[in-house]
Amino acid sequence: LISAQIIPETHPRRFEIQSAPSHAASVHMDAIRGLAAVTVLTMHWRTLLFQDFINLPHPGILLKIVYFLTSLGHQAVMVFFVLSGYLVGGSVLRQVREDRWSWKSYLFVRTTRLYTVLIPALLLGWIWDASGVHLFGTATVYGGHGQVVATYATPERLTLKVLAGNYLFLQNILVPTFGSNGPLWSLANEFWYYIAFPFLVLAFHKRLPVIGRIACAAAVALICRFTGTSISLYFLVWLMGAALALLPALPLNSVLAQYTAHALAIAAVVSALIFYRYYEAGFVLPDFVLAVAETLLLYAILHYSRSSGPSAYIWTARALAKSSYTLYVVHLPLLMFLAAALAQERWQPSGMQVWFALGLLCLILAYAQIVYWCFEARTDQIRKRLRPLLGGNGRPGSPARIQ
């Protein structure tokens, strides 16, 4: 994409890129990532299986809390964007800063990360959707009858054109999401952010020749033009996470000050979620408010976390985070199939139906874990097999050239 000789550095660095997070911070970030994936799942689970809140006869405080917590799937995606911005964007900043940048290595790592899960997810989604439409017809959730999760007819999206578009991360740009798998929308955002961000960084890289910087800036503009307003707008949310890698820690030396920073950040996130509840003019402003609050929380976690928590918490956080991507992209087609088979009319949240639905929730979690072990857990093995095809080791390039 761009290969240009770096101009030798003659000025001292004005800022430092933050190093990888501490063990404690990493555990807490894993917990957030895993919880976000489960939140998306529970929103779809509750929406497909249970009546809307307005149709509940006399909901108590517990039901109100449950319905509120299981309505935050969209907000959870904003959390993913901020986390991705920090993890991926921070890595890009470090590689460019240390003159280790290589497009070949970067694209290899990012595409293998995405496709190792996306390819089986598309195949499994097609199997569940095609089977569900064939067995249960479009008079069920597959017909798109006004529910939040399934507002469109699934068969219209089970075409080779839509499949190819989702494989190329063109969903919501040139094609809709494939089949019933609505969560695939955010993968297009992520992919194009992965492409745009290095160009953006290189456009401001003073050691790159002017013509190269202009070309990088033009590439960012073209990507934003191609992907459209919505994807480009939410790139700002992703950039908030990347900015965390540039922010130094404030000198909060006392334990009380550090706990206060955590408390204020958590309060900001809670306030942002409440703002969602009462703001009725669209998602954009609440999304950005939440993104700012989430960035503040991650900042506090990164710089002021001292304890990883008990071993059970660490194990759960790690386990949920490892399979969060798989859970996110494979759960909905199976959930749609089960809803079409078992819940022709959505249930009232009471009695045995709740326990039965919880059993289905555990089934989907187990299914996602199996898919994870079959594919995502083998990402490193797949990279090892594919790396020779690059004509090199697939690792960051030499320190003398931006490749």
Side-chain angles (χ1 to χ4, degrees):
L1 295 176
I2 285 185
S3 182
Q5 192 70 30
I6 298 177
I7 299 171
E9 186 173 26
T10 57
H11 301 285
R13 297 178 179 179
R14 295 183 179 181
F15 60 86
E16 293 295 333
I17 309 300
Q18 300 299 315
S19 59
S22 66
H23 178 265
S26 178
V27 169
H28 299 318
M29 291 171 66
D30 280 346
I32 292 173
R33 183 170 57 177
L35 182 60
V38 172
T39 299
V40 175
L41 165 62
T42 56
M43 184 193 75
H44 294 150
W45 166 79
R46 194 265 299 165
T47 304
L48 283 171
L49 297 180
F50 293 104
Q51 291 287 333
D52 294 333
F53 184 79
I54 196 173
N55 296 325
L56 303 185
H58 301 288
I61 184 64
L62 179 59
L63 269 182
K64 291 180 180 179
I65 294 173
V66 170
Y67 266 69
F68 174 72
L69 294 177
T70 56
S71 68
L72 301 176
H74 176 81
Q75 292 84 335
V77 178
M78 297 303 107
V79 174
F80 282 134
F81 284 167
V82 176
L83 279 169
S84 175
Y86 170 72
L87 295 171
V88 178
S91 175
V92 171
L93 288 168
R94 281 189 290 272
Q95 290 180 33
V96 172
R97 189 60 162 166
E98 297 167 5
D99 299 337
R100 297 186 292 112
W101 175 254
S102 165
W103 274 106
K104 182 171 69 173
S105 174
Y106 174 74
L107 292 175
F108 174 76
V109 171
R110 297 268 56 86
T111 54
T112 50
R113 165 67 172 159
L114 290 169
Y115 279 122
T116 299
V117 179
L118 177 61
I119 292 174
L122 290 172
L123 176 60
L124 290 169
W126 177 80
I127 292 172
W128 289 117
D129 286 343
S131 300
V133 171
H134 176 74
L135 292 173
F136 311 118
T138 56
T140 61
V141 291
Y142 291 113
H145 299 295
Q147 296 181 33
V148 173
V149 176
T151 57
Y152 51 82
T154 300
E156 296 176 358
R157 300 188 175 192
L158 287 175
T159 66
L160 287 177
K161 177 183 176 181
V162 177
L163 175 63
N166 281 247
Y167 177 80
L168 296 174
F169 303 102
L170 298 175
Q171 54 269 40
N172 287 355
I173 301 173
L174 298 180
V175 297
T177 51
F178 182 65
S180 66
N181 204 345
L184 293 176
W185 73 268
S186 67
L187 266 64
N189 290 54
E190 287 282 355
F191 174 79
W192 292 106
Y193 299 159
Y194 293 167
I195 301 300
F197 185 69
F199 279 121
L200 182 62
V201 173
L202 294 173
F204 290 93
H205 197 329
K206 293 183 178 180
R207 296 170 60 200
L208 191 68
V210 173
I211 187 64
R213 294 166 62 186
I214 293 174
C216 289
V220 176
L222 288 173
I223 290 170
C224 291
R225 179 69 178 85
F226 172 70
T227 56
T229 302
S230 178
I231 292 178
S232 300
L233 183 64
Y234 282 96
F235 189 29
L236 298 175
V237 172
W238 197 91
L239 289 175
M240 292 184 194
L244 284 169
L246 302 175
L247 299 177
L250 295 174
L252 302 181
N253 297 322
S254 71
V255 175
L256 177 60
Q258 294 172 3
Y259 277 122
T260 301
H262 280 91
L264 291 175
I266 293 172
V269 172
V270 173
S271 300
L273 294 177
I274 294 174
F275 181 53
Y276 264 103
R277 174 67 177 81
Y278 294 101
Y279 188 81
E280 299 179 352
F283 277 117
V284 175
L285 180 58
D287 284 344
F288 277 83
V289 171
L290 178 61
V292 171
E294 174 65 17
T295 302
L296 292 174
L297 178 59
L298 289 180
Y299 178 86
I301 289 173
L302 285 168
H303 294 293
Y304 308 121
S305 294
R306 296 293 177 264
S307 172
S308 303
S311 57
Y313 169 76
I314 296 173
W315 184 89
T316 303
R318 296 295 196 206
L320 288 176
K322 285 180 179 179
S323 58
S324 59
Y325 175 30
T326 296
L327 175 62
Y328 180 77
V329 296
V330 305
H331 73 273
L332 188 52
L334 174 57
L335 185 54
M336 289 278 289
F337 183 90
L338 294 173
L342 303 172
Q344 297 295 326
E345 294 186 6
R346 290 185 290 170
W347 307 325
Q348 288 289 335
S350 60
M352 291 300 297
Q353 290 172 325
V354 172
W355 290 107
F356 186 66
L358 288 173
L360 295 179
L361 185 64
C362 293
L363 174 64
I364 294 169
L365 287 169
Y367 163 75
Q369 194 65 28
I370 292 172
V371 177
Y372 162 77
W373 280 111
C374 290
F375 299 100
E376 187 177 2
R378 304 178 188 277
T379 301
D380 289 339
Q381 299 176 31
I382 293 172
R383 286 172 177 164
K384 185 176 180 180
R385 290 179 177 272
L386 293 178
R387 195 164 270 132
L389 300 179
L390 295 179
N393 58 17
R395 293 171 183 166
S398 70
R401 184 177 292 271
I402 292 182
Q403 299 178 338

